[in-house]
Amino acid sequence: MGEFKVHRVRFFDYMPTAIRAMAFNAHTERLALGRMDGSVEIFNFADHYFQEKVIPGKDSRSIEALCWVGGRLFSAGLNGEITEYDLENLRPKYSLEAYGGPIWTITSNSQGAHLAIGCEDGTVKLFEVLEESIQFERNLDRQKGRIISLSWHPSGTQIAAGMMDMIRVFDAVSMLTTVLLVDRGFGGSKSRETVVWSVVFLSDCTIISGDSAGKVQVWDGHTGTLVKTHLVTKWDVLALSVSKDESSVVVGTSEGTVIQFQFIAPTLQQQQDKEWVRTRTFKNHTHDVRALAEIETAIVSGGMDTQLVVRPLLEKFDERSHASALRKIQFPHRNLVFCAKKAGLLLFQFPGQLELWRLGESDGHGKPGDSLPLKRKPEKLLHLKRKGEDHICCSALSSCGGWLAYSTMSSVRLYRLQTDNNDISITKVPKLPKILRSAHQLCFSSDSSKLFAASSQSSVLVIALSQSECKYVHTLKPKSGSRQPIHLMTNSVDGKWLATANSDCEIHVYNVQKLKLHCIVPVYGSCPSAMGIHPTTNNLTMVHADQQIFEYSIVEKQYTDWSRKLQKQGLHNLWLDRDTPVTHVTFNPKNPEQILLHDMHMFCIIDQSLPLPDQKTQFYNQMTLRSLSEQERPSHLHAFKICKTFQDLLSVSLLDDQSLVMVERPLLAITSQLPAPVRQKKFAT
């Protein structure tokens, strides 16, 4: 595999925030996820659950609920505003004050013509969905006490509202209301109000509710009578979600369990008498399950423990496969760590600040696997807080360590860094070109003479940098006319080429010297998750969300022979079955045959001089090779050399001194910072 000196970095205190809400769009197969910090993430479930877009949060924005209307996404929160998002420019399109105090819930009718929101002041407000905005229509009968949860009847004429100790059913046509009284808990909890956290309204007028007394209750909406009560937990039932065919309901509780109820006959003899029966319990979370979505083949859940869990329903699959495996998405599918390869500096991106660190140094030499003593410890050089309320959406550090830039939704800031032994000075570049308002991605050229900023409609702004000034040069625009945001950007070491990738799966290569589009890589159906340009051959290596690898010759405008051979033979099944995307590609200048890449669980070196592994080959063969003699090894060698020594990887970089920087974030370090769960399972209980 080759010997490298490795910096194991564990001082990046990356901490994701809790999942607060989610909404699934069955037509586009996109899941929208809202977090406690006000950020929104869009996952493409048709493309291996890839996180294709992130809309950064804002200090004053809270997300209590999310809702799709066609391809449009709305949120509501405790700041009392309804927000529609611009999914092309990754920002709020507009926010509308509802004038009802904090908003607890938002939902749309099945026709997509109206939104209903539940407010703190006891009103259910209806908004008409217009082509470019929404417009307030009317209030339904005002109630005493806040409206916690809402669900439309599929016909769009009735709305069920969960409140304190009751459910109210509003008829949007006749304006009449029906009251369903919810029992309080048992014993000491009888004195406490019961909060109806979630309701679902089914086609046959059945209402299902989940409340703070741990009950799931089934109601007859025609008569307003309670049909059945299921006591599922001593704690709260926080979320409900119903399947498209209304044959299954899933329940999320505050002790981290997800429970499935199915509308089935209790016995084989009573096929006509169907009822809601508790069938399965899943325990994949440690804390509150705050958000749920039951999609066609899986249950998707998230909550306080920050991870998104996709639990496949095995009866929906004919045989065990990659698609039927449990998935946990813990890390973002994008880079939050940037490395100055020449200077040995690391930049860590947080929503509210940036941290610049200098790597440590060792003075020893040892055998493979030895931990070397440090003669200089890693040192935090800079803690840079962002200005304003908007969270940082992207940042960049030049390879020489002399420039630093970051962008929020409202502005881009550029800084000049000067390091002198242990001292560092930072100077803000005062006058940036007016065209440089915000960016989806930033990157510096390898000689630090240019800054590339991904702007709207897949275009890239080229900014020339010098000691004295910062000047706008040109806008590189794709001919495809795509309006989707750029999520990947990389440039060549010789400064000639720049490659960008957007959410339409398009990869454009620009000639930076001539300032024009050079070529478009043939569009592949899966989104690129990582790419890099080789320092000597200028070949572009791309890895996609479905784990496929392509190598494209920029000069010849065609796939390389190695890439064609790889596609013809096919990748090993164990490579394709991995469940986290490759998020970084780099190269070893000392060995041009080597491509270095990583995902969350493994680090891999692809050696193009060695034969490709076929399906019969032992894929993870590094330990086996060590046990073989020198004569036997060549027959067992293949191109994919995989190391699983380092786990929970956020970033891997190769410095100019041939040392590897592995930025690890052990999941135990994240869970140890979470608040205590309401109930901890003890052995044999």
Side-chain angles (χ1 to χ4, degrees):
M1 192 164 190
E3 282 189 18
F4 296 95
K5 189 190 285 186
V6 178
H7 297 267
R8 294 189 73 169
V9 172
R10 289 195 174 182
F11 43 79
F12 179 24
D13 294 327
Y14 165 71
M15 189 68 198
T17 57
I19 294 169
R20 198 73 186 87
M22 67 172 66
F24 184 70
N25 189 328
H27 297 294
T28 60
E29 294 192 67
R30 300 296 197 276
L31 180 87
L33 191 80
R35 292 192 181 266
M36 289 281 277
D37 64 356
S39 62
V40 175
E41 300 165 12
I42 309 290
F43 290 85
N44 186 346
F45 272 37
D47 190 11
H48 294 72
Y49 310 100
F50 183 63
Q51 185 192 58
E52 64 179 14
K53 295 176 183 178
V54 177
I55 300 171
K58 188 177 182 178
D59 288 349
S60 60
R61 189 190 308 139
S62 93
I63 294 176
E64 202 67 23
L66 287 166
C67 172
W68 287 101
V69 179
R72 296 163 67 180
L73 181 64
F74 296 87
S75 77
L78 300 182
N79 58 358
E81 291 181 343
I82 305 168
T83 300
E84 182 177 357
Y85 294 93
D86 183 341
L87 299 180
E88 292 175 353
N89 292 309
L90 303 185
R91 59 175 62 233
K93 198 174 182 179
Y94 60 84
S95 291
L96 195 69
E97 175 64 55
Y99 298 106
I103 303 171
W104 289 91
T105 180
I106 184 170
T107 182
S108 74
N109 59 1
S110 57
Q111 296 79 16
H114 287 88
L115 288 173
I117 61 166
C119 300
E120 179 77 15
D121 67 356
T123 56
V124 175
K125 295 176 184 284
L126 297 186
F127 288 81
E128 186 184 0
V129 180
L130 305 176
E131 200 169 317
E132 288 296 323
S133 61
I134 58 172
Q135 182 176 300
F136 174 72
E137 193 170 273
R138 60 193 163 108
N139 288 329
L140 300 183
D141 193 18
R142 186 169 179 172
Q143 308 300 310
K144 287 183 180 178
R146 61 178 70 120
I147 308 291
I148 300 292
S149 51
L150 288 173
S151 178
W152 288 83
H153 187 269
S155 66
T157 57
Q158 291 179 299
I159 304 173
M163 302 175 62
M164 298 292 189
D165 289 334
M166 72 175 78
I167 300 165
R168 280 195 180 262
V169 182
F170 298 89
D171 192 305
V173 180
S174 68
M175 302 296 288
L176 295 173
T177 62
T178 308
V179 180
L180 315 178
L181 293 176
V182 178
D183 288 338
R184 294 192 175 184
F186 303 99
S189 62
K190 239 178 151 35
S191 59
R192 292 200 301 269
E193 285 183 309
T194 298
V195 184
V196 181
W197 286 116
S198 190
V199 288
V200 291
F201 208 158
L202 307 183
S203 304
D204 62 358
C205 277
T206 298
I207 296 170
I208 301 176
S209 64
D211 59 45
S212 59
K215 305 188 300 294
V216 173
Q217 295 189 307
V218 183
W219 306 81
D220 185 330
H222 291 298
T223 60
T225 55
L226 179 63
V227 177
K228 191 155 187 182
T229 296
H230 300 270
L231 186 64
V232 297
T233 174
K234 294 178 182 177
W235 310 96
D236 293 45
V237 173
L238 296 169
L240 296 175
S241 180
V242 64
S243 63
K244 194 175 180 181
D245 63 2
E246 297 187 351
S247 65
S248 167
V249 166
V250 286
V251 177
T253 73
S254 58
E255 56 183 318
T257 53
V258 174
I259 300 157
Q260 185 180 22
F261 287 83
Q262 288 175 286
F263 194 55
I264 54 177
T267 63
L268 288 170
Q269 288 75 32
Q270 298 171 296
Q271 287 300 310
Q272 301 303 315
D273 304 323
K274 287 189 174 183
E275 59 181 76
W276 287 99
V277 178
R278 177 175 174 170
T279 52
R280 278 181 285 202
T281 301
F282 305 114
K283 179 71 175 166
N284 299 117
H285 294 275
T286 56
H287 292 64
D288 301 11
V289 177
R290 302 302 300 256
L292 273 176
E294 184 171 352
I295 63 175
E296 193 174 343
T297 58
I299 296 167
V300 189
S301 56
M304 284 294 292
D305 64 4
T306 78
Q307 61 186 348
L308 180 66
V309 175
V310 183
R311 177 92 199 198
L313 297 166
L314 295 180
E315 72 269 18
K316 306 283 187 180
F317 298 90
D318 294 331
E319 56 185 39
R320 296 298 290 263
S321 65
H322 179 56
S324 67
L326 175 75
R327 274 177 184 259
K328 292 186 177 183
I329 301 171
Q330 285 127 336
F331 286 174
H333 297 164
R334 61 195 176 115
N335 284 326
L336 297 174
V337 180
F338 307 91
C339 182
K341 296 179 180 181
K342 296 173 185 172
L345 302 176
L346 287 179
L347 180 71
F348 299 144
Q349 178 185 315
F350 297 89
Q353 76 270 1
L354 299 172
E355 288 184 4
L356 185 70
W357 286 74
R358 180 190 282 132
L359 290 164
E361 276 185 28
S362 69
D363 54 0
H365 298 278
K367 303 187 300 295
D370 284 356
S371 293
L372 303 178
L374 290 176
K375 69 175 181 183
R376 194 189 72 210
K377 288 186 177 181
E379 181 186 3
K380 188 201 282 193
L381 301 176
L382 186 67
H383 182 98
L384 183 64
K385 285 190 174 181
R386 60 166 162 80
K387 296 286 188 284
E389 285 194 329
D390 292 328
H391 292 182
I392 295 170
C393 56
C394 62
S395 54
L397 180 67
S398 65
S399 58
C400 66
W403 296 92
L404 182 153
Y406 77 84
S407 176
T408 64
M409 282 187 292
S410 53
S411 66
V412 175
R413 293 179 183 267
L414 178 66
Y415 296 89
R416 188 87 178 90
L417 299 175
Q418 288 179 306
T419 48
D420 180 23
N421 294 327
N422 292 328
D423 296 327
I424 184 164
S425 63
I426 180 168
T427 311
K428 181 173 175 276
V429 177
K431 287 185 180 179
L432 297 183
K434 287 184 179 177
I435 195 170
L436 190 61
R437 286 190 293 273
S438 71
H440 300 137
Q441 287 292 315
L442 293 166
C443 86
F444 290 95
S445 61
S446 57
D447 62 356
S448 306
S449 66
K450 293 182 184 71
L451 171 66
F452 303 109
S455 185
S456 59
Q457 299 182 0
S458 292
S459 60
V460 179
L461 305 177
V462 183
I463 310 295
L465 305 176
S466 67
Q467 295 284 355
S468 56
E469 63 176 351
C470 166
K471 194 170 73 173
Y472 165 71
V473 176
H474 189 70
T475 300
L476 300 169
K477 292 182 179 177
K479 288 181 181 174
S480 65
S482 173
R483 302 181 62 87
Q484 292 301 319
I486 289 171
H487 68 283
L488 292 176
M489 197 156 54
T490 186
N491 60 80
S492 61
V493 171
D494 61 10
K496 188 174 182 181
W497 308 110
L498 174 75
T500 67
N502 65 24
S503 307
D504 274 337
C505 304
E506 297 175 347
I507 297 174
H508 295 90
V509 180
Y510 297 95
N511 187 321
V512 178
Q513 293 170 355
K514 294 181 180 178
L515 295 174
K516 68 176 187 178
L517 180 67
H518 175 71
C519 65
I520 302 173
V521 178
V523 175
Y524 179 64
S526 178
C527 208
S529 64
M531 61 183 189
I533 299 175
H534 198 284
T536 53
T537 63
N538 275 341
N539 289 337
L540 176 66
T541 300
M542 302 153 286
V543 189
H544 294 259
D546 65 355
Q547 311 295 355
Q548 291 292 338
I549 303 169
F550 296 92
E551 187 182 52
Y552 188 81
S553 170
I554 293 175
V555 177
E556 296 174 9
K557 298 186 184 179
Q558 64 179 10
Y559 290 115
T560 63
D561 293 340
W562 181 83
S563 182
R564 292 178 194 277
K565 183 181 172 186
L566 179 67
Q567 288 302 313
K568 187 177 179 181
Q569 181 172 323
L571 284 153
H572 199 285
N573 284 338
L574 290 175
W575 174 268
L576 296 174
D577 285 347
R578 291 168 24 259
D579 63 357
T580 56
V582 169
T583 51
H584 193 67
V585 173
T586 188
F587 304 92
N588 184 357
K590 297 281 174 69
N591 190 341
E593 303 287 345
Q594 289 185 348
I595 302 169
L596 283 62
L597 41 83
H598 78 93
D599 66 11
M600 177 182 163
H601 299 297
M602 64 90 206
F603 165 63
C604 175
I605 296 176
I606 300 176
D607 192 329
Q608 294 179 307
S609 65
L610 293 174
L612 295 167
D614 57 29
Q615 299 302 336
K616 296 175 184 175
T617 305
Q618 186 184 357
F619 192 62
Y620 299 112
N621 66 352
Q622 295 303 305
M623 295 299 288
T624 310
L625 289 172
R626 286 181 195 173
S627 63
L628 297 175
S629 65
E630 292 290 336
Q631 292 77 28
E632 291 178 289
R633 278 186 195 181
S635 62
H636 290 81
L637 285 171
H638 62 74
F640 285 75
K641 304 173 180 182
I642 290 176
C643 168
K644 289 197 165 188
T645 308
F646 314 97
Q647 289 197 354
D648 308 331
L649 285 166
L650 275 168
S651 173
V652 175
S653 303
L654 183 65
L655 301 182
D656 280 3
D657 66 359
Q658 286 296 102
S659 59
L660 278 170
V661 180
M662 301 278 188
V663 181
E664 298 171 282
R665 181 60 171 158
L667 292 176
L668 277 174
I670 292 175
T671 53
S672 67
Q673 292 185 40
L674 294 171
V678 295
R679 177 174 174 268
Q680 287 178 314
K681 185 170 173 61
K682 294 187 173 67
F683 177 70
T685 62

PDB file of all heavy atoms in Angstrom, residues 635-652:
ATOM      1  N   SER A 635       0.762 -12.477  -7.344  1.00  0.00           N
ATOM      2  CA  SER A 635      -0.431 -13.113  -7.919  1.00  0.00           C
ATOM      3  C   SER A 635      -1.710 -12.717  -7.177  1.00  0.00           C
ATOM      4  O   SER A 635      -2.813 -12.915  -7.683  1.00  0.00           O
ATOM      5  CB  SER A 635      -0.274 -14.637  -7.890  1.00  0.00           C
ATOM      6  OG  SER A 635      -0.148 -15.086  -6.552  1.00  0.00           O
ATOM      7  N   HIS A 636      -1.571 -12.167  -5.968  1.00  0.00           N
ATOM      8  CA  HIS A 636      -2.743 -11.765  -5.193  1.00  0.00           C
ATOM      9  C   HIS A 636      -2.948 -10.247  -5.168  1.00  0.00           C
ATOM     10  O   HIS A 636      -3.919  -9.760  -4.586  1.00  0.00           O
ATOM     11  CB  HIS A 636      -2.622 -12.271  -3.737  1.00  0.00           C
ATOM     12  CG  HIS A 636      -2.752 -13.757  -3.620  1.00  0.00           C
ATOM     13  ND1 HIS A 636      -1.698 -14.614  -3.872  1.00  0.00           N
ATOM     14  CD2 HIS A 636      -3.813 -14.548  -3.284  1.00  0.00           C
ATOM     15  CE1 HIS A 636      -2.092 -15.859  -3.687  1.00  0.00           C
ATOM     16  NE2 HIS A 636      -3.376 -15.852  -3.336  1.00  0.00           N
ATOM     17  N   LEU A 637      -2.044  -9.505  -5.780  1.00  0.00           N
ATOM     18  CA  LEU A 637      -2.167  -8.040  -5.777  1.00  0.00           C
ATOM     19  C   LEU A 637      -3.274  -7.585  -6.719  1.00  0.00           C
ATOM     20  O   LEU A 637      -3.491  -8.169  -7.774  1.00  0.00           O
ATOM     21  CB  LEU A 637      -0.848  -7.394  -6.218  1.00  0.00           C
ATOM     22  CG  LEU A 637       0.309  -7.374  -5.221  1.00  0.00           C
ATOM     23  CD1 LEU A 637       1.575  -6.906  -5.912  1.00  0.00           C
ATOM     24  CD2 LEU A 637      -0.012  -6.465  -4.044  1.00  0.00           C
ATOM     25  N   HIS A 638      -3.977  -6.526  -6.336  1.00  0.00           N
ATOM     26  CA  HIS A 638      -4.889  -5.862  -7.274  1.00  0.00           C
ATOM     27  C   HIS A 638      -4.928  -4.364  -6.977  1.00  0.00           C
ATOM     28  O   HIS A 638      -4.344  -3.893  -5.997  1.00  0.00           O
ATOM     29  CB  HIS A 638      -6.280  -6.498  -7.256  1.00  0.00           C
ATOM     30  CG  HIS A 638      -7.009  -6.414  -5.946  1.00  0.00           C
ATOM     31  ND1 HIS A 638      -7.563  -5.249  -5.474  1.00  0.00           N
ATOM     32  CD2 HIS A 638      -7.294  -7.373  -5.023  1.00  0.00           C
ATOM     33  CE1 HIS A 638      -8.163  -5.476  -4.324  1.00  0.00           C
ATOM     34  NE2 HIS A 638      -8.004  -6.757  -4.019  1.00  0.00           N
ATOM     35  N   ALA A 639      -5.634  -3.613  -7.807  1.00  0.00           N
ATOM     36  CA  ALA A 639      -5.529  -2.148  -7.798  1.00  0.00           C
ATOM     37  C   ALA A 639      -6.100  -1.487  -6.549  1.00  0.00           C
ATOM     38  O   ALA A 639      -5.653  -0.413  -6.154  1.00  0.00           O
ATOM     39  CB  ALA A 639      -6.226  -1.586  -9.043  1.00  0.00           C
ATOM     40  N   PHE A 640      -7.097  -2.106  -5.904  1.00  0.00           N
ATOM     41  CA  PHE A 640      -7.785  -1.457  -4.782  1.00  0.00           C
ATOM     42  C   PHE A 640      -7.143  -1.861  -3.457  1.00  0.00           C
ATOM     43  O   PHE A 640      -7.269  -3.008  -3.023  1.00  0.00           O
ATOM     44  CB  PHE A 640      -9.269  -1.833  -4.787  1.00  0.00           C
ATOM     45  CG  PHE A 640     -10.061  -1.123  -5.858  1.00  0.00           C
ATOM     46  CD1 PHE A 640      -9.959  -1.504  -7.189  1.00  0.00           C
ATOM     47  CD2 PHE A 640     -10.896  -0.064  -5.540  1.00  0.00           C
ATOM     48  CE1 PHE A 640     -10.672  -0.851  -8.180  1.00  0.00           C
ATOM     49  CE2 PHE A 640     -11.623   0.599  -6.517  1.00  0.00           C
ATOM     50  CZ  PHE A 640     -11.509   0.211  -7.843  1.00  0.00           C
ATOM     51  N   LYS A 641      -6.465  -0.907  -2.843  1.00  0.00           N
ATOM     52  CA  LYS A 641      -5.812  -1.158  -1.552  1.00  0.00           C
ATOM     53  C   LYS A 641      -6.580  -0.368  -0.492  1.00  0.00           C
ATOM     54  O   LYS A 641      -6.551   0.864  -0.492  1.00  0.00           O
ATOM     55  CB  LYS A 641      -4.354  -0.709  -1.601  1.00  0.00           C
ATOM     56  CG  LYS A 641      -3.581  -1.383  -2.727  1.00  0.00           C
ATOM     57  CD  LYS A 641      -2.190  -0.796  -2.851  1.00  0.00           C
ATOM     58  CE  LYS A 641      -1.411  -1.461  -3.974  1.00  0.00           C
ATOM     59  NZ  LYS A 641      -0.042  -0.939  -4.087  1.00  0.00           N
ATOM     60  N   ILE A 642      -7.250  -1.076   0.387  1.00  0.00           N
ATOM     61  CA  ILE A 642      -8.186  -0.435   1.315  1.00  0.00           C
ATOM     62  C   ILE A 642      -7.708  -0.576   2.751  1.00  0.00           C
ATOM     63  O   ILE A 642      -7.293  -1.648   3.184  1.00  0.00           O
ATOM     64  CB  ILE A 642      -9.599  -1.031   1.135  1.00  0.00           C
ATOM     65  CG1 ILE A 642     -10.145  -0.572  -0.215  1.00  0.00           C
ATOM     66  CG2 ILE A 642     -10.533  -0.616   2.264  1.00  0.00           C
ATOM     67  CD1 ILE A 642     -11.468  -1.144  -0.590  1.00  0.00           C
ATOM     68  N   CYS A 643      -7.770   0.544   3.454  1.00  0.00           N
ATOM     69  CA  CYS A 643      -7.349   0.591   4.859  1.00  0.00           C
ATOM     70  C   CYS A 643      -8.556   0.982   5.712  1.00  0.00           C
ATOM     71  O   CYS A 643      -9.202   1.996   5.457  1.00  0.00           O
ATOM     72  CB  CYS A 643      -6.221   1.610   5.025  1.00  0.00           C
ATOM     73  SG  CYS A 643      -5.833   2.014   6.729  1.00  0.00           S
ATOM     74  N   LYS A 644      -8.853   0.158   6.722  1.00  0.00           N
ATOM     75  CA  LYS A 644      -9.971   0.456   7.622  1.00  0.00           C
ATOM     76  C   LYS A 644      -9.486   0.732   9.044  1.00  0.00           C
ATOM     77  O   LYS A 644     -10.248   0.629  10.000  1.00  0.00           O
ATOM     78  CB  LYS A 644     -10.973  -0.700   7.616  1.00  0.00           C
ATOM     79  CG  LYS A 644     -11.760  -0.798   6.317  1.00  0.00           C
ATOM     80  CD  LYS A 644     -12.990  -1.664   6.491  1.00  0.00           C
ATOM     81  CE  LYS A 644     -13.947  -1.476   5.329  1.00  0.00           C
ATOM     82  NZ  LYS A 644     -15.227  -2.154   5.546  1.00  0.00           N
ATOM     83  N   THR A 645      -8.203   1.094   9.166  1.00  0.00           N
ATOM     84  CA  THR A 645      -7.649   1.417  10.482  1.00  0.00           C
ATOM     85  C   THR A 645      -8.303   2.672  11.047  1.00  0.00           C
ATOM     86  O   THR A 645      -8.530   2.794  12.242  1.00  0.00           O
ATOM     87  CB  THR A 645      -6.127   1.639  10.375  1.00  0.00           C
ATOM     88  OG1 THR A 645      -5.549   0.521   9.718  1.00  0.00           O
ATOM     89  CG2 THR A 645      -5.508   1.821  11.747  1.00  0.00           C
ATOM     90  N   PHE A 646      -8.584   3.614  10.153  1.00  0.00           N
ATOM     91  CA  PHE A 646      -9.144   4.899  10.572  1.00  0.00           C
ATOM     92  C   PHE A 646     -10.648   4.870  10.292  1.00  0.00           C
ATOM     93  O   PHE A 646     -11.066   4.578   9.179  1.00  0.00           O
ATOM     94  CB  PHE A 646      -8.493   6.040   9.794  1.00  0.00           C
ATOM     95  CG  PHE A 646      -7.002   5.936   9.726  1.00  0.00           C
ATOM     96  CD1 PHE A 646      -6.382   5.381   8.614  1.00  0.00           C
ATOM     97  CD2 PHE A 646      -6.213   6.377  10.770  1.00  0.00           C
ATOM     98  CE1 PHE A 646      -5.002   5.270   8.547  1.00  0.00           C
ATOM     99  CE2 PHE A 646      -4.839   6.264  10.718  1.00  0.00           C
ATOM    100  CZ  PHE A 646      -4.217   5.714   9.606  1.00  0.00           C
ATOM    101  N   GLN A 647     -11.430   5.180  11.310  1.00  0.00           N
ATOM    102  CA  GLN A 647     -12.877   5.153  11.118  1.00  0.00           C
ATOM    103  C   GLN A 647     -13.497   6.512  11.385  1.00  0.00           C
ATOM    104  O   GLN A 647     -12.885   7.386  12.002  1.00  0.00           O
ATOM    105  CB  GLN A 647     -13.501   4.104  12.025  1.00  0.00           C
ATOM    106  CG  GLN A 647     -13.161   2.697  11.543  1.00  0.00           C
ATOM    107  CD  GLN A 647     -14.073   1.656  12.146  1.00  0.00           C
ATOM    108  OE1 GLN A 647     -14.889   1.961  13.003  1.00  0.00           O
ATOM    109  NE2 GLN A 647     -13.939   0.419  11.714  1.00  0.00           N
ATOM    110  N   ASP A 648     -14.733   6.666  10.873  1.00  0.00           N
ATOM    111  CA  ASP A 648     -15.479   7.916  11.030  1.00  0.00           C
ATOM    112  C   ASP A 648     -14.649   9.091  10.506  1.00  0.00           C
ATOM    113  O   ASP A 648     -14.343  10.039  11.221  1.00  0.00           O
ATOM    114  CB  ASP A 648     -15.863   8.136  12.500  1.00  0.00           C
ATOM    115  CG  ASP A 648     -16.570   6.916  13.088  1.00  0.00           C
ATOM    116  OD1 ASP A 648     -17.224   6.205  12.318  1.00  0.00           O
ATOM    117  OD2 ASP A 648     -16.464   6.687  14.298  1.00  0.00           O
ATOM    118  N   LEU A 649     -14.274   8.974   9.224  1.00  0.00           N
ATOM    119  CA  LEU A 649     -13.392   9.954   8.590  1.00  0.00           C
ATOM    120  C   LEU A 649     -14.179  11.122   8.011  1.00  0.00           C
ATOM    121  O   LEU A 649     -15.149  10.934   7.285  1.00  0.00           O
ATOM    122  CB  LEU A 649     -12.597   9.288   7.453  1.00  0.00           C
ATOM    123  CG  LEU A 649     -11.451   8.375   7.859  1.00  0.00           C
ATOM    124  CD1 LEU A 649     -10.995   7.535   6.677  1.00  0.00           C
ATOM    125  CD2 LEU A 649     -10.280   9.200   8.393  1.00  0.00           C
ATOM    126  N   LEU A 650     -13.738  12.326   8.337  1.00  0.00           N
ATOM    127  CA  LEU A 650     -14.313  13.534   7.750  1.00  0.00           C
ATOM    128  C   LEU A 650     -13.475  14.042   6.587  1.00  0.00           C
ATOM    129  O   LEU A 650     -14.000  14.671   5.671  1.00  0.00           O
ATOM    130  CB  LEU A 650     -14.428  14.635   8.811  1.00  0.00           C
ATOM    131  CG  LEU A 650     -15.681  14.605   9.683  1.00  0.00           C
ATOM    132  CD1 LEU A 650     -15.521  15.548  10.861  1.00  0.00           C
ATOM    133  CD2 LEU A 650     -16.915  14.972   8.895  1.00  0.00           C
ATOM    134  N   SER A 651     -12.167  13.782   6.618  1.00  0.00           N
ATOM    135  CA  SER A 651     -11.300  14.293   5.557  1.00  0.00           C
ATOM    136  C   SER A 651      -9.982  13.524   5.524  1.00  0.00           C
ATOM    137  O   SER A 651      -9.487  13.071   6.564  1.00  0.00           O
ATOM    138  CB  SER A 651     -11.013  15.787   5.795  1.00  0.00           C
ATOM    139  OG  SER A 651     -10.066  16.273   4.881  1.00  0.00           O
ATOM    140  N   VAL A 652      -9.437  13.380   4.310  1.00  0.00           N
ATOM    141  CA  VAL A 652      -8.091  12.828   4.118  1.00  0.00           C
ATOM    142  C   VAL A 652      -7.365  13.714   3.113  1.00  0.00           C
ATOM    143  O   VAL A 652      -7.903  14.012   2.048  1.00  0.00           O
ATOM    144  CB  VAL A 652      -8.140  11.376   3.588  1.00  0.00           C
ATOM    145  CG1 VAL A 652      -6.731  10.876   3.276  1.00  0.00           C
ATOM    146  CG2 VAL A 652      -8.802  10.448   4.597  1.00  0.00           C
TER     147      VAL A 652
END
